[in-house]
Amino acid sequence: MGNRVTRGDFEWVYTEQPHTQRRKEILAKYPRIKALMGPDPHLKWIVSGMVFTQFLACYLVKDLSWKWIFFWAYAFGGCINHSLTLAIHDISHNVAFGNKQTKWNRWFAVFANLPVGVPYSASFKKYHIDHHRYLGGDSLDVDIPTDFEGWFFCTPLRKLLWLFLQPFFYSLRPLYVNPKAITQMEICNALVQFSVDSIIFYLWGLKPIIYLIAGTILCMGLHPISGHFIAEHYMFLKGYETYSYYGPLNWLTFNVGYHMEHHDFPSIPGSKLPMVKKIAAEYYDNLPYHQSWIRVLWDFVFDDSISPYSRVKRKCKLAKESE
């Protein structure tokens, strides 16, 4: 790729994020895209099937040896759990039951959270709205690594370690960068999650719990699906802060790869994002995109010009909070 970024600091810009203006232009030219907004009637059934598949897996792994627990956690269960975190991402945009049923969406996200093993959905919702509203916002968008991460994880071995530890940075970084008060929904999320964990432990012992939590950690770390964490907003080409991926792993990840389209239209379910690209093709066909999440991970580790610093940052004015 040409015009690669350089290492040493974030890429500071003094312009608004590009998605707002592109959204206005596309809607003006293709108003029928508005018809794609709204709930996905299939999402709740797909997610429910995945949740109950993991409960069945908990029963099936209860007598396996530890090496097979970790094997199946990485090869199978973790893939489902990572996919469920991306379903929670979609649900956070109210696409399970629609904008008029926000509580249904919040509680369904808690249900989707159950196989993940640790409470996640309510906290994700609290911070994810900032990621869209203040994309790249200094001290507001907690998706951006800290200065320490950019400074320390700068060699191939350290970047590999950073990828492996990514679930911990992803979950703990918000507490340092932009701490917020614990919400009632987060308390409910934790109570429900730990209650179900306790029931699983009572019925089938420790191994199913380790299977669930290890799968979540392993597959949100160094795993092909986790390539989306890097692919979405790390600046592989100077001047571009969001990238899409149109490969087959979208089938397992609720089309999270259509990330340019998602940031343009966050209220459109992942299942309908390919239609956005098809309708407004001239807005997306000439933008850079990724062809492989595995290649993204490889380049991130071994390309000296890419590191946790390879992110766009900007100063943002605070907007009023909303649901």
Side-chain angles (χ1 to χ4, degrees), residues 52-74:
F52 288 115
T53 295
Q54 281 293 71
F55 286 160
L56 175 61
C58 285
Y59 170 76
L60 295 175
V61 305
K62 64 184 178 65
D63 296 320
L64 295 181
S65 64
W66 283 110
K67 67 178 180 180
W68 287 110
I69 292 290
F70 286 102
F71 172 82
W72 288 115
Y74 186 83

PDB file of all heavy atoms in Angstrom, residues 52-74:
ATOM      1  N   PHE A  52     -28.455 -21.069  23.041  1.00  0.00           N
ATOM      2  CA  PHE A  52     -28.808 -22.422  23.476  1.00  0.00           C
ATOM      3  C   PHE A  52     -27.813 -23.458  22.963  1.00  0.00           C
ATOM      4  O   PHE A  52     -27.616 -24.506  23.601  1.00  0.00           O
ATOM      5  CB  PHE A  52     -30.238 -22.750  23.048  1.00  0.00           C
ATOM      6  CG  PHE A  52     -31.278 -22.008  23.850  1.00  0.00           C
ATOM      7  CD1 PHE A  52     -32.105 -21.075  23.258  1.00  0.00           C
ATOM      8  CD2 PHE A  52     -31.398 -22.225  25.218  1.00  0.00           C
ATOM      9  CE1 PHE A  52     -33.052 -20.378  23.995  1.00  0.00           C
ATOM     10  CE2 PHE A  52     -32.339 -21.540  25.974  1.00  0.00           C
ATOM     11  CZ  PHE A  52     -33.161 -20.615  25.361  1.00  0.00           C
ATOM     12  N   THR A  53     -27.169 -23.195  21.840  1.00  0.00           N
ATOM     13  CA  THR A  53     -26.091 -24.073  21.376  1.00  0.00           C
ATOM     14  C   THR A  53     -24.951 -24.095  22.382  1.00  0.00           C
ATOM     15  O   THR A  53     -24.390 -25.149  22.690  1.00  0.00           O
ATOM     16  CB  THR A  53     -25.562 -23.603  20.004  1.00  0.00           C
ATOM     17  OG1 THR A  53     -26.595 -23.742  19.028  1.00  0.00           O
ATOM     18  CG2 THR A  53     -24.343 -24.413  19.572  1.00  0.00           C
ATOM     19  N   GLN A  54     -24.632 -22.938  22.923  1.00  0.00           N
ATOM     20  CA  GLN A  54     -23.573 -22.871  23.926  1.00  0.00           C
ATOM     21  C   GLN A  54     -23.982 -23.544  25.239  1.00  0.00           C
ATOM     22  O   GLN A  54     -23.144 -24.169  25.906  1.00  0.00           O
ATOM     23  CB  GLN A  54     -23.170 -21.414  24.179  1.00  0.00           C
ATOM     24  CG  GLN A  54     -22.239 -20.844  23.115  1.00  0.00           C
ATOM     25  CD  GLN A  54     -20.882 -21.502  23.139  1.00  0.00           C
ATOM     26  OE1 GLN A  54     -20.726 -22.664  22.754  1.00  0.00           O
ATOM     27  NE2 GLN A  54     -19.887 -20.756  23.579  1.00  0.00           N
ATOM     28  N   PHE A  55     -25.244 -23.439  25.611  1.00  0.00           N
ATOM     29  CA  PHE A  55     -25.701 -24.158  26.810  1.00  0.00           C
ATOM     30  C   PHE A  55     -25.593 -25.668  26.607  1.00  0.00           C
ATOM     31  O   PHE A  55     -25.193 -26.404  27.521  1.00  0.00           O
ATOM     32  CB  PHE A  55     -27.144 -23.769  27.138  1.00  0.00           C
ATOM     33  CG  PHE A  55     -27.278 -22.387  27.721  1.00  0.00           C
ATOM     34  CD1 PHE A  55     -28.492 -21.711  27.696  1.00  0.00           C
ATOM     35  CD2 PHE A  55     -26.197 -21.744  28.307  1.00  0.00           C
ATOM     36  CE1 PHE A  55     -28.625 -20.436  28.229  1.00  0.00           C
ATOM     37  CE2 PHE A  55     -26.315 -20.474  28.851  1.00  0.00           C
ATOM     38  CZ  PHE A  55     -27.533 -19.823  28.811  1.00  0.00           C
ATOM     39  N   LEU A  56     -25.933 -26.132  25.404  1.00  0.00           N
ATOM     40  CA  LEU A  56     -25.775 -27.560  25.101  1.00  0.00           C
ATOM     41  C   LEU A  56     -24.304 -27.947  25.144  1.00  0.00           C
ATOM     42  O   LEU A  56     -23.945 -29.019  25.680  1.00  0.00           O
ATOM     43  CB  LEU A  56     -26.373 -27.866  23.724  1.00  0.00           C
ATOM     44  CG  LEU A  56     -26.178 -29.297  23.202  1.00  0.00           C
ATOM     45  CD1 LEU A  56     -26.831 -30.315  24.135  1.00  0.00           C
ATOM     46  CD2 LEU A  56     -26.734 -29.429  21.782  1.00  0.00           C
ATOM     47  N   ALA A  57     -23.450 -27.088  24.619  1.00  0.00           N
ATOM     48  CA  ALA A  57     -22.015 -27.362  24.642  1.00  0.00           C
ATOM     49  C   ALA A  57     -21.491 -27.454  26.073  1.00  0.00           C
ATOM     50  O   ALA A  57     -20.604 -28.262  26.363  1.00  0.00           O
ATOM     51  CB  ALA A  57     -21.268 -26.283  23.866  1.00  0.00           C
ATOM     52  N   CYS A  58     -22.046 -26.641  26.964  1.00  0.00           N
ATOM     53  CA  CYS A  58     -21.639 -26.707  28.371  1.00  0.00           C
ATOM     54  C   CYS A  58     -21.873 -28.101  28.945  1.00  0.00           C
ATOM     55  O   CYS A  58     -21.046 -28.629  29.704  1.00  0.00           O
ATOM     56  CB  CYS A  58     -22.402 -25.661  29.188  1.00  0.00           C
ATOM     57  SG  CYS A  58     -21.828 -23.971  28.956  1.00  0.00           S
ATOM     58  N   TYR A  59     -22.991 -28.675  28.597  1.00  0.00           N
ATOM     59  CA  TYR A  59     -23.288 -30.041  29.051  1.00  0.00           C
ATOM     60  C   TYR A  59     -22.327 -31.055  28.420  1.00  0.00           C
ATOM     61  O   TYR A  59     -21.835 -31.965  29.089  1.00  0.00           O
ATOM     62  CB  TYR A  59     -24.727 -30.397  28.709  1.00  0.00           C
ATOM     63  CG  TYR A  59     -25.062 -31.863  28.929  1.00  0.00           C
ATOM     64  CD1 TYR A  59     -25.271 -32.357  30.216  1.00  0.00           C
ATOM     65  CD2 TYR A  59     -25.136 -32.740  27.855  1.00  0.00           C
ATOM     66  CE1 TYR A  59     -25.557 -33.706  30.424  1.00  0.00           C
ATOM     67  CE2 TYR A  59     -25.431 -34.079  28.041  1.00  0.00           C
ATOM     68  CZ  TYR A  59     -25.630 -34.561  29.334  1.00  0.00           C
ATOM     69  OH  TYR A  59     -25.901 -35.894  29.531  1.00  0.00           O
ATOM     70  N   LEU A  60     -22.023 -30.860  27.143  1.00  0.00           N
ATOM     71  CA  LEU A  60     -21.199 -31.832  26.420  1.00  0.00           C
ATOM     72  C   LEU A  60     -19.738 -31.814  26.833  1.00  0.00           C
ATOM     73  O   LEU A  60     -19.049 -32.836  26.720  1.00  0.00           O
ATOM     74  CB  LEU A  60     -21.315 -31.586  24.909  1.00  0.00           C
ATOM     75  CG  LEU A  60     -22.703 -31.812  24.296  1.00  0.00           C
ATOM     76  CD1 LEU A  60     -22.702 -31.414  22.822  1.00  0.00           C
ATOM     77  CD2 LEU A  60     -23.150 -33.261  24.469  1.00  0.00           C
ATOM     78  N   VAL A  61     -19.259 -30.674  27.316  1.00  0.00           N
ATOM     79  CA  VAL A  61     -17.831 -30.588  27.655  1.00  0.00           C
ATOM     80  C   VAL A  61     -17.544 -30.877  29.126  1.00  0.00           C
ATOM     81  O   VAL A  61     -16.380 -30.920  29.522  1.00  0.00           O
ATOM     82  CB  VAL A  61     -17.257 -29.190  27.297  1.00  0.00           C
ATOM     83  CG1 VAL A  61     -17.504 -28.854  25.843  1.00  0.00           C
ATOM     84  CG2 VAL A  61     -17.817 -28.101  28.216  1.00  0.00           C
ATOM     85  N   LYS A  62     -18.564 -31.114  29.920  1.00  0.00           N
ATOM     86  CA  LYS A  62     -18.380 -31.188  31.371  1.00  0.00           C
ATOM     87  C   LYS A  62     -17.446 -32.312  31.808  1.00  0.00           C
ATOM     88  O   LYS A  62     -16.832 -32.237  32.885  1.00  0.00           O
ATOM     89  CB  LYS A  62     -19.727 -31.338  32.075  1.00  0.00           C
ATOM     90  CG  LYS A  62     -20.494 -32.614  31.765  1.00  0.00           C
ATOM     91  CD  LYS A  62     -21.854 -32.610  32.436  1.00  0.00           C
ATOM     92  CE  LYS A  62     -22.677 -33.847  32.103  1.00  0.00           C
ATOM     93  NZ  LYS A  62     -22.073 -35.080  32.638  1.00  0.00           N
ATOM     94  N   ASP A  63     -17.295 -33.362  30.989  1.00  0.00           N
ATOM     95  CA  ASP A  63     -16.445 -34.492  31.370  1.00  0.00           C
ATOM     96  C   ASP A  63     -15.195 -34.605  30.512  1.00  0.00           C
ATOM     97  O   ASP A  63     -14.455 -35.594  30.606  1.00  0.00           O
ATOM     98  CB  ASP A  63     -17.244 -35.797  31.275  1.00  0.00           C
ATOM     99  CG  ASP A  63     -18.408 -35.845  32.261  1.00  0.00           C
ATOM    100  OD1 ASP A  63     -18.216 -35.393  33.411  1.00  0.00           O
ATOM    101  OD2 ASP A  63     -19.501 -36.312  31.880  1.00  0.00           O
ATOM    102  N   LEU A  64     -14.930 -33.617  29.668  1.00  0.00           N
ATOM    103  CA  LEU A  64     -13.738 -33.654  28.817  1.00  0.00           C
ATOM    104  C   LEU A  64     -12.485 -33.323  29.624  1.00  0.00           C
ATOM    105  O   LEU A  64     -12.551 -32.689  30.676  1.00  0.00           O
ATOM    106  CB  LEU A  64     -13.869 -32.657  27.672  1.00  0.00           C
ATOM    107  CG  LEU A  64     -14.967 -32.904  26.628  1.00  0.00           C
ATOM    108  CD1 LEU A  64     -14.915 -31.810  25.560  1.00  0.00           C
ATOM    109  CD2 LEU A  64     -14.803 -34.272  25.984  1.00  0.00           C
ATOM    110  N   SER A  65     -11.339 -33.753  29.099  1.00  0.00           N
ATOM    111  CA  SER A  65     -10.071 -33.373  29.725  1.00  0.00           C
ATOM    112  C   SER A  65      -9.807 -31.896  29.460  1.00  0.00           C
ATOM    113  O   SER A  65     -10.377 -31.306  28.531  1.00  0.00           O
ATOM    114  CB  SER A  65      -8.928 -34.217  29.163  1.00  0.00           C
ATOM    115  OG  SER A  65      -8.750 -33.951  27.777  1.00  0.00           O
ATOM    116  N   TRP A  66      -8.916 -31.308  30.242  1.00  0.00           N
ATOM    117  CA  TRP A  66      -8.686 -29.869  30.130  1.00  0.00           C
ATOM    118  C   TRP A  66      -8.147 -29.475  28.765  1.00  0.00           C
ATOM    119  O   TRP A  66      -8.493 -28.416  28.249  1.00  0.00           O
ATOM    120  CB  TRP A  66      -7.734 -29.404  31.229  1.00  0.00           C
ATOM    121  CG  TRP A  66      -8.408 -29.302  32.563  1.00  0.00           C
ATOM    122  CD1 TRP A  66      -8.218 -30.104  33.649  1.00  0.00           C
ATOM    123  CD2 TRP A  66      -9.385 -28.332  32.946  1.00  0.00           C
ATOM    124  NE1 TRP A  66      -9.023 -29.708  34.687  1.00  0.00           N
ATOM    125  CE2 TRP A  66      -9.747 -28.624  34.289  1.00  0.00           C
ATOM    126  CE3 TRP A  66      -9.999 -27.262  32.303  1.00  0.00           C
ATOM    127  CZ2 TRP A  66     -10.683 -27.869  34.986  1.00  0.00           C
ATOM    128  CZ3 TRP A  66     -10.931 -26.513  32.994  1.00  0.00           C
ATOM    129  CH2 TRP A  66     -11.267 -26.802  34.317  1.00  0.00           C
ATOM    130  N   LYS A  67      -7.323 -30.301  28.154  1.00  0.00           N
ATOM    131  CA  LYS A  67      -6.781 -29.922  26.843  1.00  0.00           C
ATOM    132  C   LYS A  67      -7.892 -29.815  25.803  1.00  0.00           C
ATOM    133  O   LYS A  67      -7.863 -28.931  24.934  1.00  0.00           O
ATOM    134  CB  LYS A  67      -5.718 -30.916  26.385  1.00  0.00           C
ATOM    135  CG  LYS A  67      -6.229 -32.323  26.080  1.00  0.00           C
ATOM    136  CD  LYS A  67      -5.097 -33.219  25.584  1.00  0.00           C
ATOM    137  CE  LYS A  67      -5.616 -34.629  25.278  1.00  0.00           C
ATOM    138  NZ  LYS A  67      -4.528 -35.516  24.797  1.00  0.00           N
ATOM    139  N   TRP A  68      -8.907 -30.664  25.919  1.00  0.00           N
ATOM    140  CA  TRP A  68     -10.028 -30.591  24.972  1.00  0.00           C
ATOM    141  C   TRP A  68     -10.972 -29.443  25.322  1.00  0.00           C
ATOM    142  O   TRP A  68     -11.613 -28.864  24.432  1.00  0.00           O
ATOM    143  CB  TRP A  68     -10.775 -31.919  24.919  1.00  0.00           C
ATOM    144  CG  TRP A  68      -9.998 -32.981  24.207  1.00  0.00           C
ATOM    145  CD1 TRP A  68      -9.423 -34.081  24.752  1.00  0.00           C
ATOM    146  CD2 TRP A  68      -9.680 -32.999  22.813  1.00  0.00           C
ATOM    147  NE1 TRP A  68      -8.776 -34.800  23.793  1.00  0.00           N
ATOM    148  CE2 TRP A  68      -8.918 -34.171  22.581  1.00  0.00           C
ATOM    149  CE3 TRP A  68      -9.963 -32.157  21.736  1.00  0.00           C
ATOM    150  CZ2 TRP A  68      -8.434 -34.500  21.317  1.00  0.00           C
ATOM    151  CZ3 TRP A  68      -9.489 -32.493  20.466  1.00  0.00           C
ATOM    152  CH2 TRP A  68      -8.733 -33.644  20.271  1.00  0.00           C
ATOM    153  N   ILE A  69     -11.041 -29.105  26.589  1.00  0.00           N
ATOM    154  CA  ILE A  69     -11.822 -27.920  26.986  1.00  0.00           C
ATOM    155  C   ILE A  69     -11.282 -26.692  26.258  1.00  0.00           C
ATOM    156  O   ILE A  69     -12.041 -25.910  25.637  1.00  0.00           O
ATOM    157  CB  ILE A  69     -11.758 -27.697  28.515  1.00  0.00           C
ATOM    158  CG1 ILE A  69     -12.505 -28.812  29.262  1.00  0.00           C
ATOM    159  CG2 ILE A  69     -12.326 -26.313  28.889  1.00  0.00           C
ATOM    160  CD1 ILE A  69     -13.998 -28.784  29.117  1.00  0.00           C
ATOM    161  N   PHE A  70      -9.969 -26.494  26.307  1.00  0.00           N
ATOM    162  CA  PHE A  70      -9.366 -25.310  25.682  1.00  0.00           C
ATOM    163  C   PHE A  70      -9.382 -25.408  24.160  1.00  0.00           C
ATOM    164  O   PHE A  70      -9.526 -24.390  23.469  1.00  0.00           O
ATOM    165  CB  PHE A  70      -7.952 -25.103  26.212  1.00  0.00           C
ATOM    166  CG  PHE A  70      -7.918 -24.578  27.616  1.00  0.00           C
ATOM    167  CD1 PHE A  70      -7.655 -25.422  28.687  1.00  0.00           C
ATOM    168  CD2 PHE A  70      -8.174 -23.239  27.877  1.00  0.00           C
ATOM    169  CE1 PHE A  70      -7.632 -24.934  29.992  1.00  0.00           C
ATOM    170  CE2 PHE A  70      -8.160 -22.740  29.169  1.00  0.00           C
ATOM    171  CZ  PHE A  70      -7.893 -23.591  30.233  1.00  0.00           C
ATOM    172  N   PHE A  71      -9.251 -26.620  23.634  1.00  0.00           N
ATOM    173  CA  PHE A  71      -9.328 -26.779  22.178  1.00  0.00           C
ATOM    174  C   PHE A  71     -10.688 -26.354  21.659  1.00  0.00           C
ATOM    175  O   PHE A  71     -10.797 -25.552  20.728  1.00  0.00           O
ATOM    176  CB  PHE A  71      -9.046 -28.237  21.786  1.00  0.00           C
ATOM    177  CG  PHE A  71      -9.302 -28.506  20.329  1.00  0.00           C
ATOM    178  CD1 PHE A  71      -8.358 -28.185  19.373  1.00  0.00           C
ATOM    179  CD2 PHE A  71     -10.513 -29.072  19.910  1.00  0.00           C
ATOM    180  CE1 PHE A  71      -8.596 -28.423  18.019  1.00  0.00           C
ATOM    181  CE2 PHE A  71     -10.763 -29.307  18.568  1.00  0.00           C
ATOM    182  CZ  PHE A  71      -9.799 -28.985  17.617  1.00  0.00           C
ATOM    183  N   TRP A  72     -11.750 -26.899  22.261  1.00  0.00           N
ATOM    184  CA  TRP A  72     -13.090 -26.579  21.788  1.00  0.00           C
ATOM    185  C   TRP A  72     -13.480 -25.137  22.129  1.00  0.00           C
ATOM    186  O   TRP A  72     -14.272 -24.517  21.411  1.00  0.00           O
ATOM    187  CB  TRP A  72     -14.112 -27.558  22.359  1.00  0.00           C
ATOM    188  CG  TRP A  72     -14.005 -28.914  21.735  1.00  0.00           C
ATOM    189  CD1 TRP A  72     -13.646 -30.077  22.344  1.00  0.00           C
ATOM    190  CD2 TRP A  72     -14.245 -29.240  20.356  1.00  0.00           C
ATOM    191  NE1 TRP A  72     -13.634 -31.108  21.442  1.00  0.00           N
ATOM    192  CE2 TRP A  72     -14.004 -30.624  20.212  1.00  0.00           C
ATOM    193  CE3 TRP A  72     -14.634 -28.499  19.240  1.00  0.00           C
ATOM    194  CZ2 TRP A  72     -14.144 -31.279  18.994  1.00  0.00           C
ATOM    195  CZ3 TRP A  72     -14.778 -29.155  18.023  1.00  0.00           C
ATOM    196  CH2 TRP A  72     -14.531 -30.515  17.907  1.00  0.00           C
ATOM    197  N   ALA A  73     -12.905 -24.610  23.201  1.00  0.00           N
ATOM    198  CA  ALA A  73     -13.154 -23.203  23.527  1.00  0.00           C
ATOM    199  C   ALA A  73     -12.628 -22.305  22.411  1.00  0.00           C
ATOM    200  O   ALA A  73     -13.297 -21.340  22.012  1.00  0.00           O
ATOM    201  CB  ALA A  73     -12.492 -22.847  24.852  1.00  0.00           C
ATOM    202  N   TYR A  74     -11.438 -22.614  21.888  1.00  0.00           N
ATOM    203  CA  TYR A  74     -10.836 -21.791  20.839  1.00  0.00           C
ATOM    204  C   TYR A  74     -11.461 -22.062  19.476  1.00  0.00           C
ATOM    205  O   TYR A  74     -11.747 -21.129  18.715  1.00  0.00           O
ATOM    206  CB  TYR A  74      -9.330 -22.051  20.780  1.00  0.00           C
ATOM    207  CG  TYR A  74      -8.590 -21.139  19.823  1.00  0.00           C
ATOM    208  CD1 TYR A  74      -8.210 -19.859  20.231  1.00  0.00           C
ATOM    209  CD2 TYR A  74      -8.257 -21.543  18.541  1.00  0.00           C
ATOM    210  CE1 TYR A  74      -7.526 -19.010  19.378  1.00  0.00           C
ATOM    211  CE2 TYR A  74      -7.566 -20.706  17.674  1.00  0.00           C
ATOM    212  CZ  TYR A  74      -7.206 -19.437  18.093  1.00  0.00           C
ATOM    213  OH  TYR A  74      -6.536 -18.602  17.239  1.00  0.00           O
TER     214      TYR A  74
END
